[in-house]
């Protein structure tokens, strides 16, 4: 079983930065790929970034060049560094991972970007 805790959200002005953290406990987190999704009010959920167990990263076009996903396996933590934030980045952000065919997700963390 895997337990995930997301943190790091908050209120920031446009152009600012935030770093989200996704801390895992329970199983061998280091072998899992991890995703960050987001959901804004009235919009579909969007896959923002993924990182494989080997560190390969992928990003949504909307965040490329601004967001960086990384992982520290020693700390069982995955990070989402968000720079040059825009009001359209306002959403609840969720990290998740699949372990033994079961998807685990942290509680969402709110990111609000003011213009």
């Amino acid at each position: 079983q895997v337990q995930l805790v997301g943190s790091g959200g908050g209120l920031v002005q446009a152009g600012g930065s935030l770093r989200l953290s996704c801390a895992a406990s329970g199983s061998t987190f280091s072998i899992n790929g991890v995703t960050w999704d987001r959901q804004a009010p009235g919009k579909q959920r969007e896959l923002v970034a993924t990182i494989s167990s080997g560190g390969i990263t992928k990003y949504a076009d909307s965040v490329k060049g601004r967001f960086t996903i990384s992982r520290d396996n020693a700390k069982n933590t995955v990070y989402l560094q968000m720079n040059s934030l825009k009001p359209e980045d306002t959403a609840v952000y969720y990290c998740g991972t699949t372990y033994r065919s079961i998807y685990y997700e942290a509680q969402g963390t709110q990111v609000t970007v003011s213009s």
Side-chain angles (χ1 to χ4, degrees):
Q1 189 173 358
V2 177
Q3 295 175 328
L4 302 176
V5 177
S7 61
L11 173 64
V12 65
Q13 288 188 332
S17 298
L18 284 173
R19 188 177 78 161
L20 305 183
S21 298
C22 179
S25 62
S27 188
T28 50
F29 184 69
S30 62
I31 68 171
N32 297 342
V34 176
T35 61
W36 280 100
D37 294 346
R38 68 185 179 186
Q39 184 151 30
K43 294 187 177 180
Q44 285 192 332
R45 192 148 172 171
E46 177 186 21
L47 176 62
V48 175
T50 67
I51 186 165
S52 72
S53 57
I56 296 172
T57 59
K58 294 183 180 179
Y59 300 92
D61 287 343
S62 57
V63 306
K64 276 181 184 176
R66 300 188 298 120
F67 290 12
T68 302
I69 188 170
S70 62
R71 66 191 303 157
D72 184 339
N73 289 335
K75 295 182 178 180
N76 275 352
T77 301
V78 169
Y79 304 99
L80 185 67
Q81 178 67 44
M82 306 185 294
N83 299 328
S84 301
L85 283 161
K86 304 175 180 180
E88 51 264 44
D89 294 318
T90 295
V92 178
Y93 285 71
Y94 302 87
C95 66
T97 190
T98 299
Y99 178 69
R100 293 185 176 177
S101 301
I102 298 173
Y103 180 72
Y104 296 91
E105 187 173 87
Q107 85 287 357
T109 184
Q110 176 71 46
V111 171
T112 303
V113 184
S114 63
S115 57

